[in-house]
């Protein structure tokens, strides 16, 4: 059941799932356990977002900078993502969830790319919530890849530089066709965007919550959506009362 008023629910919520390692450290557990618990929080977040009427949920699963972590941790994270897709794909498909992957697909080794493609392909006609998984994703890398594509079009004489508008750039990013996030949440108390959706989050509301990602429960998520409902978004304009004052 949706506990929120549908008109105030953000269409697109993006989450930086931070704090798995600290959650584990605080319990004297290996970091891998934090990531494992993090996958449970992922399942709950998808369910909650869907029930609350969120249309797009983007999760930052693995950044292009995460490769610099110790090999064993990278391998843990890859394993968890693969297991998640293998185990949960059928369930997500049944729940009418559509999966989109953003991030650089070049040079991915092993069986990860076929699994990501299978997840997208299997769910492509689903009409429920879209789960966008940011994998091997970095915003600057995404923008550089888009710029290279546009530059190649210009060089080939198929695109006039004057046609490079914000809309055209947006349509060249991995998130083409996905509306910009209305709300970006980061867990664990850290207050930065860490190269996540920098272009797309231009007007997003930012919310930093203290919970480590494995503790990000249905209640925490709903509390964040309720706080979002109180925010006033102006997109560079004036608040309605000020508009009235100026106009009158
Ligand atoms: C940040 O915690 C989290 C990550 C780098 C990865 C998030 C991945 C998952 C939750 C599992 C796989 C994802 C899906 C979609 C199934 P951290 O390790 O940086 O924590 P710390 O800052 O406390 O060290």
């Amino acid at each position: 059941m949706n506990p929120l008023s549908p008109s105030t629910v953000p269409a697109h919520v993006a989450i930086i799932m931070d704090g798995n390692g600290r959650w584990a450290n605080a319990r004297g557990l290996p970091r891998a356990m934090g990531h494992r618990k993090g996958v449970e929080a992922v399942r709950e977040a998808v369910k909650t977002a869907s029930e609350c009427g969120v249309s797009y949920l983007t999760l930052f699963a693995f950044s292009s900078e995460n490769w610099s972590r110790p090999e064993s941790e990278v391998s843990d994270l890859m394993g968890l993502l693969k297991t998640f897709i293998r185990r949960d794909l059928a369930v997500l498909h049944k729940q009418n969830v559509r999966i989109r992957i953003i991030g650089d697909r070049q040079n991915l080794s092993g069986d990860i790319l076929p699994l990501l493609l299978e997840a997208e392909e299997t769910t492509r006609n689903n009409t429920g919530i879209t789960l966008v998984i940011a994998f091997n994703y970095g915003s600057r890398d995404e923008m550089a890849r888009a710029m290279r594509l546009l530059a190649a079009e210009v060089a080939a004489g198929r695109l006039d530089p004057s046609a490079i508008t914000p809309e055209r750039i947006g349509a060249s990013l991995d998130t083409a066709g996905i509306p910009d996030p209305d709300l970006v949440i980061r867990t664990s108390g850290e207050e930065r965007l860490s190269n996540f959706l920098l272009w797309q989050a231009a007007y997003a509301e930012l919310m930093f919550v203290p919970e480590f990602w494995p503790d990000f429960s249905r209640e925490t998520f709903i509390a964040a959506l309720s706080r979002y409902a109180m925010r006033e978004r102006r997109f560079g304009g004036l608040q309605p009362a000020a508009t009235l004052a100026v106009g009158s």
Side-chain angles (χ1 to χ4, degrees):
M1 217 192 72
N2 184 358
L4 300 156
S5 157
S7 64
T8 59
V9 173
H12 184 174
V13 179
I15 307 184
I16 303 173
M17 309 181 285
D18 197 9
N20 292 348
R22 278 165 286 163
W23 181 92
N25 279 344
R27 288 161 180 76
L29 297 169
R31 291 176 59 82
M33 286 303 293
H35 295 314
R36 202 157 299 172
K37 269 301 252 189
V39 178
E40 287 174 30
V42 164
R43 292 194 182 101
E44 191 167 2
V46 177
K47 197 161 165 267
T48 306
S50 178
E51 282 171 11
C52 289
V54 171
S55 303
Y56 295 84
L57 176 68
T58 299
L59 299 178
F60 204 177
F62 193 87
S63 81
S64 27
E65 290 75 31
N66 285 154
W67 296 108
S68 63
R69 293 191 177 202
E71 216 178 297
S72 61
E73 182 161 348
V74 169
S75 149
D76 279 340
L77 284 167
M78 293 294 143
L80 283 174
L81 185 67
K82 285 193 262 186
T83 310
F84 173 74
I85 293 180
R86 287 196 185 108
R87 285 208 193 136
D88 290 46
L89 181 57
V91 178
L92 294 168
H93 185 37
K94 216 167 150 199
Q95 290 167 348
N96 201 18
V97 175
R98 187 167 51 150
I99 297 176
R100 281 268 310 257
I101 311 292
I102 59 170
D104 189 3
R105 297 172 183 209
Q106 297 289 311
N107 307 320
L108 291 178
S109 61
D111 46 3
I112 189 82
L113 184 60
L115 270 177
L116 298 176
L117 295 175
E118 184 195 341
E120 282 192 318
E121 194 48 41
T122 307
T123 61
R124 67 179 306 144
N125 294 320
N126 288 348
T127 54
I129 189 171
T130 299
L131 170 62
V132 184
I133 301 178
F135 176 77
N136 194 22
Y137 178 84
S139 207
R140 289 180 171 183
D141 172 69
E142 176 194 33
M143 285 192 243
R145 285 185 284 109
M147 295 310 130
R148 284 200 289 274
L149 281 182
L150 292 172
E153 289 291 294
V154 171
R158 288 191 294 266
L159 179 66
D160 189 87
S162 66
I164 302 180
T165 57
E167 290 72 27
R168 181 71 193 238
I169 293 173
S172 307
L173 297 171
D174 297 346
T175 47
I178 297 172
D180 287 343
D182 302 290
L183 172 64
V184 176
I185 300 173
R186 182 174 189 143
T187 59
S188 91
E190 303 289 342
E191 301 189 354
R192 6 172 228 284
L193 286 178
S194 298
N195 205 13
F196 184 52
L197 301 178
L198 299 183
W199 174 276
Q200 298 87 340
Y203 286 101
E205 293 294 320
L206 307 181
M207 205 172 280
F208 303 102
V209 301
E211 289 83 3
F212 294 141
W213 175 249
D215 289 328
F216 192 81
S217 61
R218 174 184 164 81
E219 291 68 35
T220 322
F221 199 171
I222 289 173
L225 295 177
S226 305
R227 272 171 67 202
Y228 169 85
M230 312 293 286
R231 299 261 181 110
E232 183 193 300
R233 302 185 72 195
R234 298 206 287 274
F235 300 95
L238 297 177
Q239 59 191 49
T243 315
L244 253 182
V246 168
S248 58

